[in-house]
Amino acid sequence: MTTDKAGRVHSRGDARAHVAAAHAGKGRGPLTRIALYSLRHPWQAAAAIGATIIASVLQLLIPRLLGHAVDQAQGILDAGADGAEQALFWSAMTLLGVSVARGFFTLVQNYYSESVGHHVGYELRLAFYDKVQRLSYSYHDKVHTGDLITVGLLDLDGLRMFFATGLVRVVLLSVLIGVGAYMLLTTDIVLALLALSFVPFVAWRSSVAQLTLRATWLTLQQKLSALSRVMEENLGGIRVVRAFSGADFELAKFDHASKEALALAHERVHVRVRNTSFMTFSFFFAMGLVLWAGGNKVIAGEMSVGTLASFLTFMTILQMPVRQLGLMVNSFARASTCGDRFYAFLDQPLAISDAPGAPELKVTEGTLRFEDVRFSYEGATHPTLDGVSFEARAGQTIGIVGAPGSGKSTLAHLIPRFYDVSGGRITIDGQDVSKVSLQSLRRAVAVVQQDSFLFTTTIENNIAYGDPWAKETKIEKAAESAQLHNYIMGLPAGYDTVVGERGVSLSGGQRQRLSIARSLVLRPAVMVFDDSTAAIDAGTEHRIRSAIRRYASDRVTLVISHRLSSLLHADTILFLEGGQIVEQGSHEELLAQGGRYRALYDLQTRPTEDIEIGSAAQ
Amino acid sequence: MRAIEEDDRDVASFPGQRPPRASVGSHRIEEEIFGKAYDPKTVRRIWAFVRPYRLKIYLSVAAVLVFTATQLAIPLIIGRAIDSGMTQGGNSTNLLWAVATFAVVVVINYAASWIQESQVGQVAENVLFDMRRAMFAQLQRVSLSFMDKTEVGRLMSRLQGDVNSMQEFLETSVISVGDMVLLVGIVVVLLTLDFRLGLLTLSTMPILFIVRIFWLPPAKRAFWAAHETNSITAGAMAEGINGVRTVQNLDRQRVNFDLFDDKAYNNLLTQLTGSRFAQVMVPIVDSLTGIAMAIVVVVGGSLVLNGGLEIGVIVAFLFYIQRFFDPIRSLTMQYSIMQRAMTSGRRITEVLDIPASINDKPDAIALTRDMDGSVEFRDVVFGYSADRPVLKNVSFKVNPGETVALVGPTGSGKTSAMSLVHRFYEVQSGAVLVGGHDVRDVTQQSLGEQVAMVLQEPFLFTGSVFDNIRYNKASATREDVIAAAKAVGAHDFITRLPGGYDGMLEQRGSNLSLGQRQLLSFARALVADAKILVLDEATANIDSYTERQIQKALLTLLEGRTGMVIAHRLATIRGADRIIVLQNGELIETGNHDQLMEKGGLYAKLYNMNYASFDDIPDELVAQANARAAST
């Protein structure tokens, strides 16, 4: 897909410019930042604001014109004046013209303020997505995916809407209320004060109500997500629930969570109703006062019926914007908190990025070296890796084994720079991995992870994930090597079967095989199996290994595994303990040494102490 | 000849080209909205949920009618006030009366709007929660074969999305009754005030109707497209977050950014189209309002001139005109809401109608703790579909206190046999007996209390360690829980967790290792203290250190209980009192380890292959062993 419906050929420059602009203004308040960002569309913003002013002035003219027309009618009645009909006609035409013009300018106002919002939303989304992809593992380790999604959806929305619901509304409401009040006050000050008496009440009530509603909304969202969690876990763990006959218990849990949410939902209805009813009432109350006082003025001959009518019409026009004051206050509050979170995310420093002018990694011999590598996780008291050194040449397979927490996976994650070493260095053909460009490094190193993520797309696209230009034959070959081809061919849609969240679900072993195929497509210089065959049976694993070995002659292979049978054919096996290599050698050598490796081997192949389960029962 | 040279990852013939095999997120969302707007069957089902609150509904409909009446009355009263003596030197008593009437009407208006909105809002919320609970409760009873086939995400969207669009419908439907009444009311009032002027003014109304009829279908498509592309973009974003490690691992950031840009940009375009459709109605309505007002001024004015009309009527007309088009606008919107609600309603009833295939018999007895604890399979035939039996005439008995290991290659029916003890599924023929009772004759609740189960994949709930171990055994004390944790050897690592037993598990225990989660699920089974334990041993590779701990815990767990274990580990198998070897749904061998070894059948062949676990043995070797066993 190179062009979209509008025929626009995508240029990367455009999107990249939006991303860069979103990062500007660090250190400024979120409202200033989003306001300035919205003004990156100066023509649309100007059209929106200009039209707002014109439309609100026109809107204010309508009661005047109506009042005028009523007076004319009255005049006709009183005097039967000549030419009255013509005057009426012109009055009507002006009214019509103003109405049409107001409609047009309201259209311009609404459309362009929404348009600015949509553009801002689009651009912020790009910036958000880009940032997600750039932040390193250490950031994603700390942050809940659910929280990130909230930032990208809800917080971004709060910012996007700020121009239309906040800024434009400020203009709209100040013109309507300000100019309107001025016009009334200069006509008849007493009546005007009566007519405007509802304004402070409604403005105050509506602001309080909106802020309360927002606060309860946020709590309600929390309660509802607690409720969803109860449901989701119940459905996901339905077998456990059934096994323990826990249905009643689960329903009680559901009711508990549900009751809390329902109470809050009722509370919200209550807040809303109390305030809308009160606002309507105070409005009509003021109208009653105007009617009474104005009526008396008419009777006393101090005012025309038309002026009274225009006062009343004006009040109906004013009612809406005054109620909207609350929405405006809310929009500011929302944009401010959403903006705090969103920009805090966007301003996250990148722990791992290219050094300026970093050269490409040039793989020649394909030699991987660890030189006294040290690593500690943020906030950890003990180092995870404490001076690890080894060398691996192309064609070699290095096995890594050790207890959980000995630093095996960490070691794997340091090579493609998912984390940076705290001390020492890792080189590929003499080039420090932290000095070369990330892109070239990650293309040279493939890590087959323990838990691989399946994307919602076809199996073929999933295998080609790292190389979406790959030819079909290459994909099939990778699947064959990973012992997945036969399974795929057995599926009704074959390679076109959609997997992932919305597709066919694969078993743990199948997922791991797919993940292996994914890496095989890439033909990397360094390939790391990070305990990625745990869910694959030993026989299949064996077949995968022999299939891969044919291509492994120009590649370093690192195999991390609990299962010693996976490591038997490694050229060298490293035994890690407490972040250090404590034993090193081939399988035979390590067995002969009779150390920790030997003990582990004995434990796995044949349990030395038989646990007599049955005897305990008797 | 470095591998990198044949890298074709950047082969794009011109800038902006997208790779052929790449996408982010999914391309469509499964939802249909253009269904029927009225479906009597669905409405009847929805009504069943509303019925308990019908008094409140009647009350709020009454309130809506009163509210609408007062809305209609207010301009009339103003008009009347002007006409009855509001001229220079006029009668102020009449004015007083008019203002007093106005005040009364306003108070009624206030009360009616309060009643209407609060009642409708609360009923809508109540119905929403009731529906959700009914679905959730139903899902607790439906057969596991349904749950096996259905994704949790899909069910969740019914429990949430569909229920929410029902709420929208309920809230707006009472209001649309008011809109309808208001519309009729305005027409009647205008025609009564002055028939000719009323008719003329109303002539603008059909124009709006016609415009809306032409506008609605494309507008709805545009709104839907905006909504759909928005969901798609959000989905792609969520995928980018969830899969970020893989994305970085495989260096897909650049490609993904461009693909995401495509989606987001497409969403921008559809949003703008949607805005255009929404806003184009504004000048149309305003122009029609202008025309109507002009008519009133010109025609009304000349009527006044002829003495055929009072000025107050003109003022009243001008008031009505300003609220004239609102009900038409909201009524046409209501149509789409109804369409959506019918679709949602249908999906909700689908969930409610899933048959609960396993029910207690009316005369089911409760299985008590003093039953003997035996398990017996009598000629059991079972399959997930009628024509493909998974278990074929399987018979065996596990004596009270005995531990039996079920062994066999993948697909031999071990897991199905285990599920039948708990009556997760119904046998096709034959019977499963627990404590001498057919499982179909006892209550499921009591069966669950006497048969504890440990699944292969340990499942933990959000909550504290304590809550997870105790689960639904409310009678278990803190001491019981700690004792159980100690017995399975989980106490040490639990006390090291932040918060100890009261420490909250992150994301269902993702901060624990698989082995530790396994131990917690053992502790949970121990606290449940059932007479029979059914256990599916984990196949996943757990590190050898934890593995030993688990073996010991298993021993504790089986103490004094009847045990049925789907065994993968040789240590477990050899320790069992008896081994049952299943293959292709048939029981082919039974006996203890020594007996089976002596017999030299499939078990002996497999055992002699020296694999650490039966599941590690490749299929073809099993086939060979089988052939050899058959020939002996």
Side-chain angles (χ1 to χ4, degrees):
Chain A
M1 192 173 74
T2 54
T3 56
D4 52 44
K5 265 191 277 179
R8 183 182 88 140
V9 176
H10 277 284
S11 62
R12 285 181 177 205
D14 236 19
R16 296 278 168 206
H18 296 317
V19 174
H23 284 87
K26 216 179 259 190
R28 285 207 176 99
L31 291 182
T32 322
R33 236 169 129 175
I34 187 61
L36 289 176
Y37 195 70
S38 305
L39 294 177
R40 286 178 69 242
H41 303 279
W43 294 113
Q44 296 195 32
I49 290 171
T52 304
I53 296 171
I54 299 172
S56 27
V57 169
L58 290 175
Q59 171 133 12
L60 290 169
L61 278 178
I62 290 177
R64 279 276 155 120
L65 293 170
L66 282 178
H68 190 58
V70 171
D71 278 345
Q72 276 178 336
Q74 181 97 36
I76 297 168
L77 199 60
D78 290 346
D82 292 338
E85 286 201 43
Q86 193 160 2
L88 267 182
F89 178 76
W90 283 116
S91 230
M93 285 304 111
T94 323
L95 205 52
L96 176 59
V98 169
S99 293
V100 173
R102 185 191 72 149
F104 171 74
F105 283 106
T106 312
L107 162 85
V108 173
Q109 166 203 329
N110 289 348
Y111 177 73
Y112 281 109
S113 20
E114 281 183 17
S115 171
V116 168
H118 291 320
H119 278 94
V120 166
Y122 159 69
E123 293 154 12
L124 290 183
R125 267 181 172 170
L126 292 180
F128 177 81
Y129 191 83
D130 176 70
K131 190 74 184 190
V132 167
Q133 295 203 111
R134 278 173 197 274
L135 284 166
S136 67
Y137 277 32
S138 50
Y139 178 82
H140 291 291
D141 290 345
K142 281 185 304 202
V143 179
H144 242 272
T145 52
D147 292 343
L148 261 191
I149 291 175
T150 308
V151 172
L153 290 180
L154 295 182
D155 290 339
L156 193 146
D157 236 20
L159 282 179
R160 174 176 79 80
M161 313 271 276
F162 179 64
F163 182 75
T165 60
L167 289 181
V168 171
R169 217 177 240 150
V170 170
V171 177
L172 175 78
L173 300 187
S174 357
V175 174
L176 273 182
I177 299 174
V179 177
Y182 175 79
M183 281 162 67
L184 280 191
L185 286 167
T186 48
T187 314
D188 185 310
I189 191 149
V190 178
L191 211 54
L193 287 176
L194 288 179
L196 294 172
S197 63
F198 78 101
V199 173
F201 283 108
V202 172
W204 168 66
R205 273 322 267 212
S206 118
S207 305
V208 170
Q210 285 302 328
L211 294 179
T212 319
L213 284 176
R214 180 171 152 72
T216 51
W217 185 81
L218 290 174
T219 335
L220 181 62
Q221 288 312 305
Q222 281 170 11
K223 301 275 179 212
L224 284 177
S225 71
L227 181 63
S228 318
R229 208 177 47 221
V230 169
M231 295 191 288
E232 215 169 344
E233 287 186 3
N234 172 283
L235 299 176
I238 193 81
R239 280 169 186 276
V240 175
V241 174
R242 299 279 170 100
F244 285 81
S245 288
D248 290 341
F249 177 70
E250 290 289 315
L251 277 173
K253 256 203 308 199
F254 174 90
D255 284 340
H256 178 72
S258 179
K259 218 187 264 166
E260 283 190 4
L262 182 62
L264 212 63
H266 278 173
E267 157 91 13
R268 276 176 58 75
V269 172
H270 192 63
V271 171
R272 205 177 57 214
V273 171
R274 204 175 43 208
N275 285 289
T276 47
S277 310
F278 177 83
M279 289 191 284
T280 316
F281 183 73
S282 58
F283 167 73
F284 279 130
F285 187 80
M287 196 175 237
L289 288 179
V290 169
L291 199 59
W292 168 245
N296 277 324
K297 275 181 184 262
V298 173
I299 292 172
E302 293 166 19
M303 184 184 259
S304 70
V305 177
T307 312
L308 180 59
S310 78
F311 260 89
L312 295 173
T313 319
F314 181 76
M315 284 182 73
T316 31
I317 287 177
L318 209 57
Q319 190 192 2
M320 230 33 227
V322 174
R323 282 178 179 223
Q324 285 185 358
L325 276 172
L327 294 177
M328 187 189 83
V329 171
N330 183 38
S331 169
F332 273 78
R334 184 170 173 212
S336 171
T337 46
C338 290
D340 275 338
R341 273 196 300 263
F342 186 84
Y343 284 117
F345 170 77
L346 219 55
D347 294 346
Q348 275 297 323
L350 292 178
I352 289 170
S353 57
D354 281 349
E360 299 253 311
L361 174 71
K362 287 189 193 62
V363 182
T364 48
E365 299 296 318
T367 305
L368 170 75
R369 273 177 68 91
F370 270 59
E371 298 171 13
D372 194 27
V373 170
R374 284 156 207 283
F375 179 79
S376 306
Y377 283 99
E378 240 178 88
T381 43
H382 294 288
T384 308
L385 289 182
D386 193 9
V388 171
S389 303
F390 67 90
E391 187 184 271
R393 296 183 175 284
Q396 277 188 328
T397 299
I398 309 285
I400 298 172
V401 66
S406 60
K408 303 184 301 278
S409 286
T410 307
L411 187 150
H413 286 169
L414 293 178
I415 305 171
R417 272 187 91 199
F418 294 147
Y419 302 91
D420 268 339
V421 296
S422 322
R425 63 179 204 148
I426 299 168
T427 61
I428 294 173
D429 287 335
Q431 303 152 82
D432 189 336
V433 293
S434 63
K435 301 270 160 43
V436 297
S437 80
L438 270 181
Q439 185 177 9
S440 63
L441 173 67
R442 290 190 179 161
R443 287 185 175 194
V445 182
V447 179
V448 186
Q449 312 254 18
Q450 266 167 34
D451 47 349
S452 47
F453 187 85
L454 286 189
F455 296 89
T456 307
T457 178
T458 62
I459 290 191
E460 180 175 271
N461 287 7
N462 260 297
I463 295 177
Y465 201 79
D467 178 8
W469 302 95
K471 301 209 171 42
E472 223 164 275
T473 48
K474 198 167 159 188
I475 295 167
E476 278 182 27
K477 223 156 77 187
E480 271 167 22
S481 301
Q483 307 299 313
L484 196 59
H485 179 73
N486 288 341
Y487 167 75
I488 298 171
M489 294 312 285
L491 292 169
Y495 278 87
D496 293 328
T497 309
V498 173
V499 291
E501 211 178 322
R502 285 164 187 276
V504 173
S505 53
L506 300 183
S507 73
Q510 286 158 352
R511 291 164 77 104
Q512 290 189 337
R513 281 185 271 164
L514 192 144
S515 174
I516 291 170
R518 231 179 221 171
S519 302
L520 288 177
V521 167
L522 302 180
R523 305 186 182 174
V526 177
M527 190 153 171
V528 187
F529 292 88
D530 181 9
D531 205 9
S532 42
T533 52
I536 300 174
D537 65 77
T540 309
E541 187 191 350
H542 182 73
R543 286 198 293 276
I544 296 174
R545 296 241 172 269
S546 30
I548 294 178
R549 200 168 302 127
R550 272 177 267 155
Y551 308 102
S553 58
D554 57 353
R555 160 194 308 159
V556 172
T557 309
L558 252 62
V559 181
I560 295 168
S561 183
H562 283 309
R563 188 194 274 160
L564 293 189
S565 61
S566 311
L567 307 176
L568 292 181
H569 307 292
D571 298 293
T572 311
I573 297 169
L574 311 176
F575 196 107
L576 278 185
E577 199 176 273
Q580 289 174 325
I581 298 174
V582 289
E583 286 178 27
Q584 183 166 1
S586 72
H587 174 68
E588 287 72 21
E589 287 165 11
L590 288 177
L591 275 190
Q593 258 180 46
R596 292 175 175 83
Y597 183 84
R598 170 93 222 187
L600 188 63
Y601 179 79
D602 289 343
L603 188 71
Q604 280 195 15
T605 42
R606 197 59 7 144
T608 43
E609 44 170 82
D610 274 359
I611 300 170
E612 293 295 330
I613 295 170
S615 61
Q618 280 141 21
Chain B
M1 73 134 282
R2 286 249 36 106
I4 302 301
E5 280 162 33
E6 25 174 43
D7 194 349
D8 40 17
R9 269 181 276 189
D10 279 326
V11 190
S13 40
F14 58 90
Q17 193 180 346
R18 304 289 181 262
R21 297 185 209 289
S23 60
V24 291
S26 63
H27 286 288
R28 61 194 174 83
I29 52 178
E30 293 161 48
E31 241 178 291
E32 47 162 319
I33 52 149
F34 301 115
K36 269 192 279 185
Y38 183 77
D39 172 12
K41 238 173 40 200
T42 310
V43 170
R44 232 174 297 136
R45 296 296 294 273
I46 298 170
W47 177 248
F49 282 97
V50 182
R51 224 179 109 79
Y53 306 101
R54 61 188 180 284
L55 287 180
K56 286 187 170 186
I57 293 284
Y58 298 151
L59 179 65
S60 46
V61 170
V64 166
L65 295 178
V66 172
F67 177 75
T68 314
T70 55
Q71 294 282 80
L72 279 167
I74 287 168
L76 271 182
I77 294 168
I78 294 173
R80 179 82 19 223
I82 290 173
D83 286 335
S84 56
M86 204 186 280
T87 46
Q88 201 170 341
N91 189 343
S92 66
T93 324
N94 286 346
L95 177 65
L96 187 65
W97 273 114
V99 173
T101 322
F102 181 83
V104 171
V105 170
V106 164
V107 171
I108 294 172
N109 173 285
Y110 177 62
S113 104
W114 176 292
I115 292 170
Q116 168 216 329
E117 289 203 34
S118 63
Q119 295 303 316
V120 172
Q122 289 188 359
V123 169
E125 293 286 357
N126 280 328
V127 168
L128 162 96
F129 278 82
D130 289 352
M131 278 182 167
R132 194 183 282 144
R133 188 181 196 281
M135 278 197 280
F136 185 72
Q138 180 66 18
L139 289 174
Q140 302 308 306
R141 305 197 301 126
V142 305
S143 73
L144 271 181
S145 15
F146 171 81
M147 296 301 286
D148 292 343
K149 282 182 299 207
T150 315
E151 267 173 80
V152 171
R154 231 165 264 197
L155 289 174
M156 286 303 290
S157 87
R158 295 188 179 199
L159 286 162
Q160 290 177 311
D162 287 333
V163 165
N164 283 339
S165 63
M166 289 305 304
Q167 182 195 19
E168 186 189 18
F169 166 70
L170 289 170
E171 277 187 349
T172 53
S173 54
V174 173
I175 293 164
S176 66
V177 171
D179 280 331
M180 221 117 59
V181 176
L182 186 64
L183 194 62
V184 174
I186 289 178
V187 170
V188 171
V189 170
L190 289 187
L191 291 177
T192 331
L193 278 176
D194 189 287
F195 190 74
R196 287 156 303 168
L197 188 58
L199 212 54
L200 263 176
T201 316
L202 289 175
S203 65
T204 53
M205 213 186 251
I207 301 177
L208 184 62
F209 260 120
I210 291 165
V211 170
R212 295 282 298 192
I213 285 167
F214 282 103
W215 170 85
L216 201 58
K220 220 159 64 181
R221 270 196 300 276
F223 298 154
W224 175 245
H227 171 74
E228 190 180 32
T229 52
N230 191 43
S231 303
I232 287 172
T233 314
M237 198 180 84
E239 187 187 84
I241 293 170
N242 290 322
V244 67
R245 286 180 171 77
T246 309
V247 169
Q248 294 187 357
N249 191 358
L250 296 171
D251 192 48
R252 261 285 286 263
Q253 293 96 314
R254 265 152 295 263
V255 171
N256 281 4
F257 181 81
D258 288 343
L259 292 170
F260 180 77
D261 183 22
D262 289 344
K263 289 208 154 141
Y265 190 75
N266 191 29
N267 177 230
L268 172 65
L269 295 180
T270 52
Q271 294 277 18
L272 291 176
T273 313
S275 289
R276 249 171 252 141
F277 267 106
Q279 296 308 330
V280 77
M281 283 312 287
V282 175
I284 294 174
V285 170
D286 274 357
S287 305
L288 288 174
T289 314
I291 292 171
M293 286 195 293
I295 291 174
V296 171
V297 169
V298 173
V299 180
S302 51
L303 283 174
V304 169
L305 191 61
N306 303 332
L309 196 68
E310 289 179 278
I311 293 187
V313 174
I314 295 191
V315 176
F317 257 85
L318 291 175
F319 262 92
Y320 283 123
I321 286 167
Q322 292 181 40
R323 6 200 17 189
F324 206 57
F325 297 103
D326 289 349
I328 299 181
R329 255 194 290 199
S330 59
L331 278 175
T332 39
M333 269 300 156
Q334 180 67 16
Y335 183 77
S336 319
I337 294 176
M338 268 184 79
Q339 274 186 317
R340 225 179 1 247
M342 286 303 139
T343 311
S344 295
R346 217 187 48 241
R347 282 203 290 238
I348 290 171
T349 48
E350 268 170 26
V351 173
L352 294 174
D353 291 345
I354 305 164
S357 57
I358 297 180
N359 287 310
D360 283 351
K361 276 190 185 167
D363 55 347
I365 57 156
L367 201 61
T368 53
R369 184 129 182 88
D370 48 23
M371 59 110 183
D372 65 8
S374 65
V375 175
E376 189 179 352
F377 277 54
R378 276 190 200 156
D379 273 332
V380 169
V381 176
F382 168 74
Y384 298 95
S385 60
D387 51 333
R388 295 228 319 257
V390 178
L391 292 176
K392 303 162 192 161
N393 294 87
V394 172
S395 297
F396 63 84
K397 184 168 182 187
V398 187
N399 299 314
E402 194 185 20
T403 295
V404 163
L406 286 178
V407 179
T410 313
S412 54
K414 294 170 294 186
T415 313
S416 305
M418 172 168 131
S419 304
L420 292 180
V421 178
H422 219 293
R423 207 180 163 208
F424 280 173
Y425 309 97
E426 295 283 39
V427 295
Q428 283 170 1
S429 71
V432 176
L433 289 86
V434 169
H437 299 281
D438 192 321
V439 290
R440 287 168 291 194
D441 295 335
V442 300
T443 62
Q444 293 175 68
Q445 180 72 31
S446 64
L447 184 65
E449 282 161 13
Q450 298 309 326
V451 183
M453 210 168 193
V454 175
L455 302 167
Q456 205 176 67
E457 283 278 311
F459 187 93
L460 299 178
F461 296 87
T462 303
S464 67
V465 175
F466 176 77
D467 289 341
N468 264 290
I469 295 179
R470 188 176 66 162
Y471 192 55
N472 65 339
K473 182 98 172 176
S475 60
T477 62
R478 201 176 169 84
E479 286 69 45
D480 296 339
V481 167
I482 294 176
K486 277 187 177 156
V488 300
H491 180 72
D492 286 345
F493 83 79
I494 293 173
T495 46
R496 278 199 303 271
L497 291 173
Y501 280 87
D502 299 314
M504 299 302 269
L505 294 176
E506 282 165 33
Q507 300 199 12
R508 296 189 205 159
S510 62
N511 51 340
L512 301 178
S513 77
L514 181 63
Q516 290 173 327
R517 280 183 277 156
Q518 196 84 47
L519 289 177
L520 286 188
S521 75
F522 279 15
R524 183 192 285 159
L526 200 58
V527 166
D529 192 25
K531 204 126 187 198
I532 298 167
L533 179 80
V534 181
L535 185 140
D536 195 348
E537 207 173 22
T539 46
N541 276 273
I542 295 171
D543 65 275
S544 314
Y545 309 90
T546 318
E547 182 68 57
R548 296 252 306 256
Q549 192 67 56
I550 288 174
Q551 289 290 341
K552 275 190 218 151
L554 191 55
L555 204 70
T556 317
L557 204 52
L558 285 165
E559 214 171 282
R561 283 177 236 283
T562 309
M564 251 177 91
V565 181
I566 297 182
H568 306 290
R569 316 258 187 243
L570 291 178
T572 317
I573 297 170
R574 286 208 299 177
D577 297 318
R578 200 142 53 90
I579 298 161
I580 290 175
V581 184
L582 287 175
Q583 198 193 13
N584 294 326
E586 283 171 279
L587 192 155
I588 55 168
E589 286 177 317
T590 176
N592 66 25
H593 175 71
D594 296 334
Q595 291 165 342
L596 288 178
M597 288 308 287
E598 206 171 308
K599 201 175 158 206
L602 178 67
Y603 177 83
K605 303 278 183 248
L606 292 179
Y607 187 85
N608 284 332
M609 285 179 184
N610 252 3
Y611 277 84
S613 150
F614 273 22
D615 293 77
D616 282 353
I617 304 174
D619 297 344
E620 60 263 28
L621 291 184
V622 174
Q624 281 170 26
N626 220 354
R628 263 181 288 149
S631 64
T632 49

